[in-house]
Amino acid sequence: MDRKDHADIASGRLSAQQLAQNFDDVAPPLDRQNALIAAQRCYYCYDAPCIQACPTGIDIPSFIRRITTDNLRGAAQDILGANVLGGMCARVCPTEILCEGSCVRNTGESEPVQIGALQRYATDWVFDSNTALFERAAATGKRVAVVGAGPAGLSCAHALARAGHDVVIFDAKPRPGGLNEYGIAEYKVLDFAAREIDWLLSLGGIRWEGARTLGDDLHLSELRRDYDAVFLGLGLTGVNALGIEGEALAGVRNAVDFIADLRQCPDLSKLPVGRRVVVIGGGNTAIDAAVQSKKLGAESVTLVYRRGSASMSATWAEQEFAKTQGVSVIEWAQPRRILGDGAVAGIEFEYTQLDDSGRLLGSGDYFTLAADSVLKAIGQTLIAPRANGDGSAVIEIRNGRIAVNAEFETSVRGVWAGGDCVGGKVDLTVQSVEDGKRAARAMHARLSGNGTAEN
Amino acid sequence: MADLRNNFVGVRSPNPFWLASAPPTDKAYNVIRAFEAGWGGVVWKTLGLDPHVVNVSSRYGAVQWNGQRIAGLNNIELITDRPLKVNLDEIRQVKRDWPDRAMIVSLMVPCDEQSWKTILPMVEDTGCDAVELNFGCPHGMSERGMGSAVGQVPEYVEQVARWVKQHSRLPCIVKLTPNITDIRHSARAAYRGGADAVSLINTINSIVSVDLDLMAPTPTVDGKGTHGGYCGPAVKPIAMNMVAEIARDPETPNLPISAIGGIGTWRDAAEFMALGAGNVQVCTAAMHYGFRIVDDMIAGLANWMDQKGYRTLEDFRGLAVPNVTDWKYLNLNYDIKARIDQDKCIKCGLCHIACEDTAHQAILKEKDGKRHFEVVDSECVGCNLCMHVCPVDNCITMQRVDNGSYANWTTHPNNPARVKETA
């Protein structure tokens, strides 16, 4: 291929008007009329399967019934009492595999109650009216450090502040929110992440300290010394590399960085995007990167995944959505070489197949896709917190994640952890919120002197 | 093909669907549209003596239930607020133009013989087919000694019916108010007075809702409300019971009944006629959806009659009356148990919680650690509650499990007043 120093990566491929349209709310909110119609479809199941399917156990039939009686405050209390990031979860949860996937209306009717949209309807009311739903208990005088301002950290901090403890949240990023702020597709979130955090912090008792990085200007030993308890909601900030030739060429990026740039970009017409984009991976990050590339005006976007669609961690609904947005999907192909001289020009793939024992093998058939931009989305990894100071505090890592007990306490007494960095059942916002909530419960018990996990 | 022609106290109409005396039959314009749509007849909105009444602005209140608009409707509108002559002229013209349709004129005048003597000849002169005496409206007019104020006193009902029969050759239908303790007394009074038929029910006294901001009942007229007449789908069960009570009352044998109350479909009509009604009158459903609903009422009733092999309306009229009985004659040996079709069950748990909390703890919610709903026959009394709460049609059915024997309360050992069986 011809040498070129700059791949065709440019901004302003679409008019500002077209961009605004492309990045508008992908699922516009229900108005009252439509919310009532949707809510009235709920059978108010007893011991409902949707509650069981929600990692945070929101009493869904209850909040939906409250919507039907115009008791929106009560509906929001149901939701945010169980999941303080219920507003975000209403937007980003893969409801098709959680609450809505378990709705009894799927049986015989195939159309579940729109639980996600209804949850957004009830919680939007809170944020739009800036209503305070929670009060802090009497001050305990205890101080807690939360490292990581993503869903797990925010959930933990809010619960502890409610319980009367004083919380400081540290995060390496300049703005709080974690993946809600930096890692989720714009069209799902718009400006909601920041509004939600403003509301959450308005409870009081939570101090925000951004641009503080653990192991850099923030040390676990100091936190343990200066605070009564520590929670780590570090997320997965490392990114897997492809480990193939050409990965360093200009135009090859991590999808998470592309998404973070997009989310922080005040003017999308200034944001560069490749003319021909190839995204590698099969998770939600891959989908979000692919769809947003298309929405920014990429001529072609191809998502390539090394296995079949059933193995993708992106749900079927996400996959379907990507296809409707003009993303081409190629399954059963793995990248072998990134081609180019200076800048990326193409990428060579080998088709894959499973052998009899289910192992993924190259088939020996190759093909090349021309590309101006390659976005890698093949998974994130834990950057383990470094032990320092007195050296006694070495946090145990197991299977690449922070090891915790049933109460989310790490191997270091007084240090809890939750969210993606501990790797629970699923890497979902809603699971991180639940982790933070449960950890807070254990931390509060310890801080109140009636802890159960004495050792 | 089913023959829907109706003959009610000698008044003929192409079908048994009349519009009740109400706003839809207030003037020629509406009535002509109704006839064009296919209605068999109308009962013209109640006429009174001049000077005509006046009405208020804000007249209807409605009950919405779970997204359904107008599950029940109430109104505080009075009788016609147009001059008597205008109405009479229009009635005459419309009857002339639509001779095959039933034209009944509803009347409400003060409870004295002279008033009736005055208005009846004028009405008769229009060429109408019959009169209906409005003894039912529970609001407004009742404060002036008319409407339900008459209908609630059987002696008045009888007296006025007698006057009307005396001063007019027209068939006389007495419209009964449900705002009484036992409808049979009103019907018997009409019967004694010589009425040719009764029609029921008029509206039920009601307050449909309270505006919690205004702290006033609806419909609200400048901050105040008043009780109004309730009608629509919600009142149908009440109306059907009253129709059945009259139909099986030996003191009013073969008294023709024009049924009114929540009728909106051919099925509603068929149910009322099975309970003995000679025809039906409709209002709320037409006010909700327009006159076009008669289309399906006609086609649906005809199709159902064809399917059942009923050639005329008389073939099925009253067939359910012998099966309306007193509780004491119900078979105490009859035993049914709920059956849950596991293939249809969507596992909502509503049958379980209804039975567990409010009935007989006869539905289990779990089997082998899994969500599964099953009836415990030994606890099930066959009450049907689970069947009614189940959102899936025919998922829960009731199966008869007794041996077919019969025994009722009249001879039951627990009945202190039991009839001793002869040894």
Side-chain angles (χ1 to χ4, degrees):
Chain A
M1 297 206 182
D2 296 337
R3 176 184 168 92
K4 50 177 185 166
D5 293 328
H6 302 288
D8 188 351
I9 298 178
S11 60
R13 293 186 186 276
L14 299 175
S15 69
Q17 191 187 4
Q18 185 66 51
L19 284 171
Q21 192 182 320
N22 286 359
F23 284 88
D24 199 3
D25 204 339
V26 70
L30 299 176
D31 60 15
R32 178 171 178 274
Q33 169 93 6
N34 283 297
L36 288 177
I37 291 170
Q40 277 147 357
R41 290 189 70 238
C42 175
Y43 285 137
Y44 196 54
C45 293
Y46 175 70
D47 192 14
C50 55
I51 305 177
Q52 309 300 328
C54 176
T56 58
I58 294 172
D59 190 339
I60 293 161
S62 174
F63 93 67
I64 292 179
R65 187 175 179 80
R66 290 170 179 206
I67 287 175
T68 67
T69 66
D70 280 328
N71 178 10
L72 289 189
R73 185 190 175 92
Q77 282 167 330
D78 269 340
I79 296 162
L80 298 173
N83 176 344
V84 74
L85 297 186
M88 181 59 75
C89 290
R91 290 162 168 79
V92 304
C93 263
T95 53
E96 63 274 12
I97 58 167
L98 299 172
C99 52
E100 291 181 17
S102 68
C103 177
V104 301
R105 286 262 190 186
N106 287 306
T107 309
E109 283 182 60
S110 82
E111 202 57 54
V113 174
Q114 293 174 272
I115 299 169
L118 287 168
Q119 181 165 319
R120 173 165 173 187
Y121 174 72
T123 51
D124 271 357
W125 175 85
V126 174
F127 305 112
D128 292 348
S129 59
N130 204 21
T131 300
L133 292 181
F134 305 107
E135 284 178 7
R136 296 187 68 198
T140 61
K142 303 284 186 184
R143 304 176 68 235
V144 179
V146 169
V147 185
L154 290 169
S155 163
C156 181
H158 189 264
L160 289 170
R162 269 181 79 186
H165 309 298
D166 287 319
V167 183
V168 183
I169 306 188
F170 301 97
D171 196 287
K173 298 277 193 187
R175 301 174 68 179
L179 288 180
N180 288 356
E181 177 60 39
Y182 291 92
I184 289 169
E186 173 83 5
Y187 51 81
K188 293 179 186 170
V189 181
L190 305 183
D191 65 338
F192 180 71
R195 286 200 292 139
E196 183 177 49
I197 288 167
D198 286 347
W199 172 85
L200 189 146
L201 296 180
S202 71
L203 173 74
I206 304 172
R207 199 174 86 231
W208 158 244
E209 284 202 26
R212 298 286 303 273
T213 307
L214 192 67
D216 189 353
D217 60 352
L218 194 65
H219 299 287
L220 194 53
S221 56
E222 292 162 14
L223 293 175
R224 292 184 68 215
R225 181 193 67 211
D226 298 341
Y227 292 87
D228 298 300
V230 178
F231 177 82
L232 303 178
L234 305 178
L236 300 174
T237 48
V239 179
N240 284 328
L242 293 169
I244 57 174
E245 182 187 325
E247 206 165 346
L249 289 169
V252 181
R253 300 189 72 186
N254 291 319
V256 290
D257 297 332
F258 167 70
I259 294 171
D261 283 355
L262 193 153
R263 284 294 304 280
Q264 299 303 311
C265 181
D267 178 1
L268 291 178
S269 68
K270 301 282 194 307
L271 191 74
V273 66
R275 184 164 72 88
R276 295 159 303 180
V277 177
V278 174
V279 180
I280 300 166
N284 286 331
T285 299
I287 297 280
D288 285 359
V291 170
Q292 294 190 113
S293 295
K294 193 74 191 160
K295 283 176 178 287
L296 281 171
E299 181 182 292
S300 72
V301 177
T302 309
L303 185 150
V304 188
Y305 181 57
R306 63 191 178 132
R307 293 175 186 269
S309 60
S311 304
M312 288 190 188
S313 63
T315 66
W316 58 265
E318 287 284 327
Q319 295 178 38
E320 286 302 310
F321 176 68
K323 288 174 191 167
T324 66
Q325 300 301 303
V327 173
S328 305
V329 176
I330 297 176
E331 299 167 24
W332 298 108
Q334 59 189 351
R336 285 306 188 195
R337 253 183 336 144
I338 301 176
L339 310 170
D341 190 358
V344 60
I347 177 163
E348 183 181 83
F349 290 91
E350 181 184 14
Y351 282 114
T352 58
Q353 57 197 30
L354 296 178
D355 70 6
D356 293 342
S357 59
R359 223 155 40 100
L360 191 72
L361 297 174
S363 67
D365 282 338
Y366 290 81
F367 66 95
T368 300
L369 294 177
D372 302 292
S373 165
V374 173
L375 298 175
K376 301 179 288 179
I378 56 167
Q380 285 111 262
T381 57
L382 175 71
I383 296 181
R386 276 177 285 174
N388 66 320
D390 62 9
S392 65
V394 179
I395 294 210
E396 184 188 337
I397 306 295
R398 199 182 302 146
N399 300 325
R401 308 284 177 105
I402 296 174
V404 290
N405 66 17
E407 299 201 307
F408 291 88
E409 193 167 16
T410 67
S411 60
V412 177
R413 183 174 164 80
V415 179
W416 284 260
D420 288 351
C421 70
V422 305
K425 290 172 217 154
V426 279
D427 285 355
L428 293 175
T429 302
V430 65
Q431 185 61 50
S432 296
V433 174
E434 180 67 4
D435 287 3
K437 183 174 104 186
R438 286 179 181 231
R441 209 174 286 159
M443 294 163 78
H444 174 63
R446 178 79 56 78
L447 293 171
S448 309
N450 53 4
T452 51
E454 289 301 322
N455 52 17
Chain B
M1 179 66 188
D3 180 356
L4 295 190
R5 283 178 301 171
N6 186 232
N7 183 341
F8 187 78
V9 295
V11 179
R12 291 171 192 281
S13 55
N15 60 57
F17 305 116
W18 293 0
L19 285 167
S21 168
T25 61
D26 187 31
K27 53 188 187 295
Y29 182 84
N30 306 73
V31 171
I32 290 167
R33 285 181 66 85
F35 286 163
E36 285 168 350
W39 290 88
V42 299
V43 184
W44 200 278
K45 183 173 164 86
T46 307
L47 310 185
L49 290 173
D50 287 332
H52 59 80
V53 305
V54 294
N55 275 302
V56 292
S57 187
S58 185
R59 302 180 191 180
Y60 302 117
V63 171
Q64 295 183 25
W65 193 83
N66 206 32
Q68 176 59 52
R69 304 268 168 169
I70 311 190
L73 181 73
N74 100 342
N75 82 89
I76 56 171
E77 185 171 296
L78 304 181
I79 62 176
T80 183
D81 51 16
R82 306 191 308 159
L84 181 59
K85 183 171 187 315
V86 172
N87 278 305
L88 293 172
D89 289 348
E90 287 187 7
I91 291 167
R92 181 180 296 108
Q93 188 61 47
V94 174
K95 179 62 194 179
R96 193 169 294 164
D97 295 343
W98 298 83
D100 69 322
R101 308 303 169 92
M103 174 66 77
I104 319 299
V105 176
S106 174
L107 298 175
M108 183 194 287
V109 294
C111 199
D112 59 69
E113 189 171 5
Q114 189 52 48
S115 296
W116 290 95
K117 220 172 151 179
T118 304
I119 199 167
L120 281 164
M122 293 192 263
V123 172
E124 202 168 316
D125 188 51
T126 62
C128 71
D129 297 303
V131 291
E132 185 182 79
L133 314 188
N134 182 344
F135 293 163
C137 281
H139 53 273
M141 301 309 287
S142 55
E143 297 170 12
R144 306 173 199 180
M146 291 181 266
S148 64
V150 176
Q152 285 166 339
V153 183
E155 290 75 11
Y156 294 168
V157 172
E158 182 178 344
Q159 179 63 70
V160 178
R162 189 163 286 132
W163 288 334
V164 171
K165 287 310 290 180
Q166 203 176 323
H167 298 296
S168 169
R169 59 167 184 80
L170 290 171
C172 167
I173 304 166
V174 173
K175 187 166 180 178
L176 303 180
T177 176
N179 301 300
I180 40 77
T181 48
D182 186 340
I183 196 70
R184 291 175 302 180
H185 293 289
S186 314
R188 287 168 188 167
Y191 185 76
R192 282 194 304 271
D196 298 282
V198 291
S199 57
L200 70 157
I201 58 174
N202 203 308
T203 54
I204 302 171
N205 232 336
S206 62
I207 288 177
V208 288
S209 69
V210 173
D211 185 316
L212 290 176
D213 296 316
L214 296 175
M215 278 297 169
T218 67
T220 308
V221 180
D222 194 20
K224 306 281 186 202
T226 187
H227 59 89
Y230 192 47
C231 55
V235 311
K236 179 186 155 199
I238 297 164
M240 287 211 294
N241 174 56
M242 290 185 169
V243 165
E245 285 298 285
I246 295 170
R248 70 191 189 98
D249 183 2
E251 294 191 34
T252 51
N254 301 314
L255 177 62
I257 301 169
S258 183
I260 312 166
I263 297 158
T265 68
W266 65 266
R267 185 180 291 277
D268 297 332
E271 290 179 31
F272 272 103
M273 294 178 80
L275 288 172
N279 69 10
V280 298
Q281 298 183 28
V282 175
C283 175
T284 310
M287 293 181 72
H288 193 167
Y289 299 112
F291 292 138
R292 60 206 162 114
I293 58 165
V294 76
D295 214 34
D296 179 59
M297 297 180 84
I298 292 169
L301 187 64
N303 287 337
W304 171 75
M305 286 171 63
D306 285 344
Q307 188 194 333
K308 292 287 185 182
Y310 299 129
R311 208 177 50 77
T312 70
L313 301 174
E314 285 303 308
D315 287 355
F316 71 92
R317 190 177 70 81
L319 290 187
V321 177
N323 293 326
V324 181
T325 187
D326 294 341
W327 193 96
K328 64 189 172 196
Y329 299 124
L330 296 176
N331 184 3
L332 292 172
N333 290 352
Y334 180 69
D335 194 10
I336 54 176
K337 303 291 181 197
R339 294 286 174 260
I340 301 173
D341 183 336
Q342 296 299 334
D343 291 335
K344 288 186 175 151
C345 178
I346 60 172
K347 299 184 170 54
C348 66
L350 291 176
C351 59
H352 163 79
I353 195 59
C355 191
E356 191 71 13
D357 277 358
T358 69
H360 300 87
Q361 298 76 49
I363 298 181
L364 302 175
K365 62 171 177 163
E366 207 177 88
K367 189 179 184 181
D368 304 327
K370 288 208 176 90
R371 192 172 174 85
H372 176 91
F373 299 92
E374 202 167 277
V375 176
V376 183
D377 275 7
S378 58
E379 300 299 322
C380 176
V381 302
C383 73
N384 304 338
L385 177 62
C386 56
M387 180 179 82
H388 293 304
V389 302
C390 177
V392 180
D393 273 347
N394 295 317
C395 174
I396 299 184
T397 50
M398 308 304 293
Q399 183 187 15
R400 186 168 186 174
V401 296
D402 66 277
N403 62 10
S405 62
Y406 176 84
N408 68 42
W409 178 244
T410 61
T411 56
H412 195 276
N414 289 18
N415 179 0
R418 71 182 174 278
V419 179
K420 296 274 191 278
E421 285 174 82
T422 48

